[in-house]
Structures are given as structure tokens and as C-alpha cells.
């Protein structure tokens, strides 16, 4: 008899990384229950994931729910036995977190504590958490290994660090817990179908969504934040990773959670390669055939100079490695952009 499919709860699964991960989970045969309050996403993403999942679509369920709603979470856990949780739900805009710290602590910290309390009550003790390379601050050297000292420069980063610490403390208190903390580097790109992708609300803070909006005429020019860094061309260097590779990193992490030796482990998810702002612009221009006008301005406060991952631990222990390069990331970003210039909405509804 075939083993029953494992059932995974995905918080924030309607969002950018969540939607791509949910699709990969379905394609790998997992039953997947998504909860999302749709604060920074659209239910259309779930409909599109379901279409892309084809024969696996019957394994997908969606509930509009806030992770801080303990009663609703309890009802969900009472009705469904989850083998593991992947926890994406959270607010993620660095600048906004500086202006609205309580909103970030309330959503990210209280949300996570509520989730962990309900998981504990229902004996579901396996969690994959979305951490971030932001916990490396301004690294003294690169590539960043998981053992580097941790710091946070803003309330958003502090929520990531605090949640990592909460997970470490939970594990220390009860070895039945299993945690995988994934530190993402810079996810970009979209599913190659062009049906799901990143759809930021308002003016984008991050490089790639901004470039995309310049290319489709929604913004006049890209501001290049800093041209005097000690890098190949003076602009900031990051480790961009295709969102589909990142999504696959989560299926690898889920498998790892079944390893009896795992306790609370941290893995970088990046490519190990550094790319400058100007290199990304050139690659995107090539992929799209569009000219991206640039305005060179000063450094953005709080930005690090060079950040890229050591991928050795994830390769060795998760048996996972990113497959796509910058060219494919830009190709798929552009495919998503031309098919959905206003994201999941139209010019009229946005
Ligand atoms: P996203 O905003 O697209 O997805 C987050 C989802 O969580 C959204 O759909 C949002 O509606 C939902 N959500 C937020 N608060 C919620 C709550 N209280 N209850 C229920 N749902 C809630 O962001 P993303 O880029 O997909 O990021 C996913 C996770 O990865 C976040 O935790 C983020 O901090 C982390 N991360 C993202 C990046 C990045 O560059 N995108 C980098 C490192 C880490
Ligand atoms: N940049 C520009 N112009 C822009 C936006 C960005 O020149 O309009 C530059 C930045 O200065 C930086 C690079 O492009 O050198 C990348 O910037 P992003 O804002 O896209 O990404 P960051 O590395 O600054 O931060 C992002 C997320 C963080 C997360 C981190 C690591 O915003 O939350 O990746 O995962 F922690």
C-alpha cells in the first residue's frame, strides 16, 4: 500500500515565495493547506497555483486567516493533522519596519508565538522558518557561512533574529521539536509559466521589482543606491537566487525534517555568486530588450556592500543546490512582467 501523502501547513502561502513553494510541494505530492490574511497578496495567486498544479490541485486547500487568530488556528489544527509547518507569514519591508516597529513586532513575533503555541498543543513539532540573510548585517567577509556572527540593523531584521532565537529556545526546552531555519539571500524571478510572480503593493523597495516597473513604464528610472562601494563597478553586490530554486530548497528542508538527527538547524539558501546592481540591470536589459534609465544616487542607509552565501552546508546536508543563473532569473521575471504588468490586478483595479 502506498504511504499516505504528508500534509503541510503553509502560512503566508499566497505570497511571493510561498506561492512558488506551494506549487513545488503539490508537484512533489504533498497535501498542502495554505493560510494567509492576504495583507500583501492576492487569492488569485492561489487560483493560479491550483491551475499550474494540474492533477495535484485537489491536494490544495486555502483559508483566509491571520496567524494571530488563535481560535481559528486551533480549529484548523483540530480538523487537520499536519505533519509539518512552513512559516512564511510575516511583514517584510525594512523601511516600513523602522517607521512602524510595533506593527512588525506584533505581526511577526506575536504571530509566530501564536503559531508555535497551537503547534505544541496539537503535537505538531516540525517547522521550516523563513529567515533572512539580513541577520548577517554588514558581513566582515564573504561568503557568509551559517556560523557568522548575527546582528540586526532594523526592526524587521530583529524580528528574524528573535524568531530564530525563539526556535532555538523551544528546541532546548523540548528535543521533540525539529526546526529548520532557512536564511534566504535575494529571491528574484518568477515561475517560468509567467503565471505567478512577485506583486508588491505600492512603490517597490527591492531592486528587481523596481527594475520591472521601469521596464513596463510604471516608474521613470531606477535609482542606483551607491556607486562608490569597493566592488567591481562600485555598486552593491548581492546573491540573487531564482524563486523556483528557493522553493525547491523548502522541499529539501521538509525531507530533512524527517532525519532523526535533526534538531534546530540553519541553512543558507543562495547561489554562492555575487552580482552587482549594474550587472543585474544589464542582464535584465538583455532579457527584455528594454532600456532601463538610471539615476545614480548616494548609498541607501543600512545597506551592506557585498553579501553572498556559502552554499556548502545546504549542498551537503539538504542535498540541494540552485540550478538557475541570472539570465534565467531575468528571463522569467520579464515573462511574468509582460504577462502581468499590474501583477494580479489590472491597471483599473490597482
Ligand atoms: P510576501 O509578503 O509576498 O508573503 C508573505 C505573506 O504572508 C503574504 O501573502 C501576507 O499576506 C502574509 N501574511 C503576513 N502577515 C500575516 C499574518 N499575520 N497572518 C497571515 N498571513 C500573513 O513575502 P515573501 O517575499 O514571499 O516572503 C516570505 C517570507 O520570507 C517572509 O517571512 C519574509 O520576511 C521572508 N524573506 C523574504 C525575502 C525576500 O526578499 N522576499 C528575503 C528573506 C526573507
Ligand atoms: N538597489 C538599488 N536601487 C533600488 C533598490 C535596490 O540600487 O531601487 C540596490 C541596493 O542598494 C542593493 C541591491 O540593489 O545594493 C539589492 O537591494 P534590495 O533592496 O533588492 O535587497 P537587499 O539585499 O537590500 O535586501 C533584501 C530584502 C531584505 C532581506 C535581504 C536578504 O529587502 O529583507 O534582501 O534576503 F533581508
Amino acid at each position: 500500500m502506498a504511504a499516505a501523502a504528508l500534509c503541510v501547513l503553509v502560512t503566508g502561502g499566497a505570497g511571493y515565495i510561498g506561492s512558488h513553494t506551494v506549487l513545488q510541494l503539490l508537484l512533489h505530492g504533498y497535501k498542502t493547506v495554505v493560510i494567509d490574511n492576504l495583507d500583501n497578496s492576492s487569492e488569485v495567486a492561489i487560483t493560479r497555483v491550483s491551475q499550474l498544479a494540474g492533477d495535484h490541485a485537489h491536494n490544495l486547500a486555502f483559508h483566509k486567516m491571520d496567524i494571530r487568530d488563535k481560535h481559528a488556528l486551533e480549529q484548523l489544527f483540530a480538523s487537520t493533522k499536519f505533519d509539518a509547518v512552513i512559516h512564511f507569514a510575516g511583514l517584510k519591508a525594512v523601511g516600513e519596519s523602522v517607521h512602524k516597529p510595533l506593527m512588525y513586532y506584533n505581526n511577526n513575533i506575536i504571530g509566530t508565538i501564536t503559531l508555535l503555541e497551537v503547534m505544541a498543543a496539537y503535537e505538531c513539532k516540525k517547522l521550516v522558518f523563513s529567515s533572512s540573510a539580513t541577520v548577517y548585517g554588514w558581513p566582515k567577509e564573504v561568503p557568509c557561512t551559517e556560523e557568522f556572527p548575527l546582528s540586526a540593523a532594523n526592526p524587521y531584521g530583529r524580528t528574524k533574529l528573535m524568531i530564530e532565537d525563539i526556535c532555538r529556545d523551544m528546541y532546548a526546552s523540548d528535543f521533540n521539536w525539529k526546526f529548520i531555519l532557512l536564511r534566504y539571500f535575494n529571491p528574484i524571478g518568477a515561475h517560468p509559466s509567467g503565471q505567478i510572480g512577485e506583486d508588491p503593493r505600492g512603490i517597490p523597495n527591492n531592486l528587481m521589482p523596481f527594475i520591472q516597473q521601469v521596464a513596463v513604464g510604471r516608474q521613470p528610472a531606477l535609482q542606483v543606491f551607491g556607486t562608490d562601494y569597493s566592488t567591481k563597478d562600485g555598486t552593491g553586490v548581492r546573491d540573487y537566487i531564482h524563486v523556483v530554486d528557493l522553493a525547491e530548497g523548502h522541499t529539501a528542508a521538509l525531507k530533512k525534517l524527517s532525519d532523526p538527527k535533526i534538531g534546530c538547524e540553519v541553512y543558507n539558501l543562495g547561489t554562492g555568486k555575487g552580482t552587482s546592481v549594474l550587472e543585474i540591470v544589464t542582464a535584465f536589459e538583455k532579457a527584455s530588450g528594454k532600456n532601463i534609465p538610471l539615476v545614480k544616487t548616494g548609498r541607501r542607509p543600512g545597506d551592506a556592500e557585498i553579501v553572498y552565501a556559502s552554499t556548502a552546508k545546504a549542498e551537503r546536508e539538504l542535498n540541494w543546490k540552485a540550478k538557475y543563473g541570472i539570465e534565467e532569473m531575468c528571463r522569467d521575471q520579464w515573462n511574468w512582467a509582460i504577462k502581468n504588468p499590474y501583477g494580479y490586478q489590472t491597471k483599473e483595479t490597482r
Side-chain angles (χ1 to χ4, degrees), residues 92-94 131-135 154 156-157 160 183-188 204-211 221-226 229 235-240 275-277 297-300 302-305 307:
K92 64 164 184 177
V94 171
S131 188
S132 166
T134 196
V135 300
N154 51 64
Y156 166 72
K160 292 294 173 199
R183 293 186 183 144
Y184 312 152
F185 283 69
N186 292 56
I188 60 169
N205 303 302
N206 299 117
L207 180 64
M208 191 45 113
F210 203 99
I211 292 178
L222 172 75
Q223 287 190 55
V224 178
F225 297 143
Y229 288 112
T235 65
V237 166
R238 295 291 183 273
D239 185 339
Y240 297 94
T275 307
S276 74
V277 174
T297 58
R299 297 179 177 197
R300 184 169 65 176
D303 267 359
E305 184 166 76
V307 186

Side-chain angles (χ1 to χ4, degrees), residues 129-178:
F129 171 62
S130 303
S131 188
S132 166
T134 196
V135 300
Y136 295 122
W138 180 307
K140 286 205 178 67
E141 50 181 325
V142 278
C144 302
T145 71
E146 287 82 352
E147 292 73 37
F148 270 25
L150 305 179
S151 67
N154 51 64
Y156 166 72
R158 266 185 282 283
T159 69
K160 292 294 173 199
L161 259 188
M162 282 182 204
I163 295 169
E164 283 202 3
D165 282 337
I166 290 170
C167 294
R168 285 186 271 270
D169 288 342
M170 293 291 290
Y171 176 66
S173 75
D174 173 358
F175 294 151
N176 289 317
W177 279 97
K178 290 175 185 294

